[in-house]
């Protein structure tokens, strides 16, 4: 298994509170991605990173921000959680980017916003 | 942008039956195509891939052929097992090193 750890694995939070999810890798891969998985929607890209301090938006980035201050960590922050952000969040890493090498996924974080 | 469409609904079949999951795509340029599999409680894993037209990807008895003329990448397996029960996602590369996924198909194999 690729060395990817997501934390926490489960979280319940209240509407309006800030939440940060962490993705940690031990593979030294350049590319990191945050997806959310929802029934009927498959996986949708939130944000991704192509290097330290280099990030870009995906298709569902509203309400989310990310930071990558070092190669191994990619943080996803919900500034003010809403019920529509209840989802399972997956981090993925790739050595050369999706166009050149496969994505390896973490085991996900299940987030419930009440 | 580039996108994939998977057939609607779960797939339920008996052990040793033939499995087909349809995937069609819309793309500019020459994307690579993938099938990923997700077992319960886990993240996605790469099952197979094809990088150019007429390529056939294969792994664990599964196959898919990159068909440019029909813009398709259907997944097939000749004889499924209970252990193949999972969710299967078709995906393709899109702009700027991103991967776009279909909605996924739940496959349930009954003994």
């Amino acid at each position: 298994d690729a060395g990817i750890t997501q934390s926490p694995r489960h979280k319940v939070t209240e509407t309006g509170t800030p939440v940060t999810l962490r993705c940690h890798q031990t593979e030294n891969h350049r590319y990191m991605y945050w997806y959310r998985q929802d029934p009927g929607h498959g996986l949708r890209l939130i944000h991704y990173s192509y290097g330290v301090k280099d990030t870009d938006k995906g298709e569902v980035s509203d309400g989310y921000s990310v930071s990558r201050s070092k190669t191994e960590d990619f943080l996803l922050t919900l500034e003010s959680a809403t019920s529509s952000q209840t989802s399972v969040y997956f981090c993925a890493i790739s050595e050369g980017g999706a166009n050149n090498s496969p994505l390896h996924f973490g085991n996900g974080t299940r987030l419930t916003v009440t | 942008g580039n996108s994939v469409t998977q057939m609607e609904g779960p797939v339920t079949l008996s052990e040793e039956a033939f499995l087909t999951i349809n995937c069609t795509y819309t793309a500019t340029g020459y994307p690579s195509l993938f099938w990923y599999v997700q077992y319960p409680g886990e993240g996605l894993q790469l099952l197979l891939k094809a990088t150019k037209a007429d390529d056939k990807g294969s792994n664990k008895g599964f196959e898919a052929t990159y068909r440019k003329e029909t813009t398709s990448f259907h997944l097939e397996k000749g004889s499924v097992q209970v252990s193949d029960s999972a969710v299967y996602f078709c995906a393709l590369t899109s702009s700027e090193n991103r991967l776009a996924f279909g909605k996924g198909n739940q496959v349930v194999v009954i003994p």
Side-chain angles (χ1 to χ4, degrees), chain A residues 31 33 35 37 40 42-43 45 48 56-58 90 96-100 102-103 105-107, chain B residues 32 34 36 38 41-44 46 49 89 93-104:
Chain A
Y31 291 83
Y33 303 81
Y35 285 89
Q37 183 177 21
L43 272 79
L45 182 65
Y48 73 106
D56 205 352
K57 296 179 180 180
F90 286 98
N99 290 350
N100 301 301
L103 268 61
F105 284 81
N107 285 333
Chain B
S32 295
F34 306 83
Y36 277 79
Q38 183 181 30
E42 299 183 7
L44 280 69
L46 178 65
K49 68 176 184 179
F89 292 91
T93 50
S94 59
S95 62
E96 299 166 344
N97 271 315
R98 307 179 187 193
L99 202 60
F101 288 88
K103 295 182 179 180

Side-chain angles (χ1 to χ4, degrees), chain A residues 98-113:
Chain A
N99 290 350
N100 301 301
S101 52
L103 268 61
H104 301 280
F105 284 81
N107 285 333
T109 294
R110 182 173 295 276
L111 176 67
T112 302
V113 183

Side-chain angles (χ1 to χ4, degrees), chain B residues 11-75:
Chain B
V11 177
T12 302
L13 61 171
S14 299
E15 202 165 25
E16 298 184 3
F18 186 87
L19 171 68
T20 299
I21 305 175
N22 290 339
C23 172
T24 56
Y25 68 90
T26 302
T28 55
Y30 304 97
S32 295
L33 298 171
F34 306 83
W35 279 99
Y36 277 79
V37 59
Q38 183 181 30
Y39 298 103
E42 299 183 7
L44 280 69
Q45 306 174 22
L46 178 65
L47 181 60
L48 54 83
K49 68 176 184 179
T51 58
K52 61 183 186 297
D54 300 325
D55 267 3
K56 177 186 283 187
S58 60
N59 187 24
K60 300 181 181 179
F62 291 88
E63 293 183 340
T65 301
Y66 190 164
R67 302 278 188 206
K68 195 164 186 290
E69 63 277 12
T70 55
T71 62
S72 65
F73 192 56
H74 304 322
L75 182 68

Side-chain angles (χ1 to χ4, degrees), chain A residues 85-101:
Chain A
Q85 294 176 311
T86 292
S87 186
V88 181
Y89 291 85
F90 286 98
C91 173
I93 65 173
S94 172
E95 185 173 14
N99 290 350
N100 301 301
S101 52

Side-chain angles (χ1 to χ4, degrees), chain A residues 53-66:
Chain A
K53 297 193 190 310
D54 291 323
T55 65
D56 205 352
K57 296 179 180 180
E59 60 184 305
V60 290
S61 59
D62 287 349
Y64 302 95
S65 62
V66 290

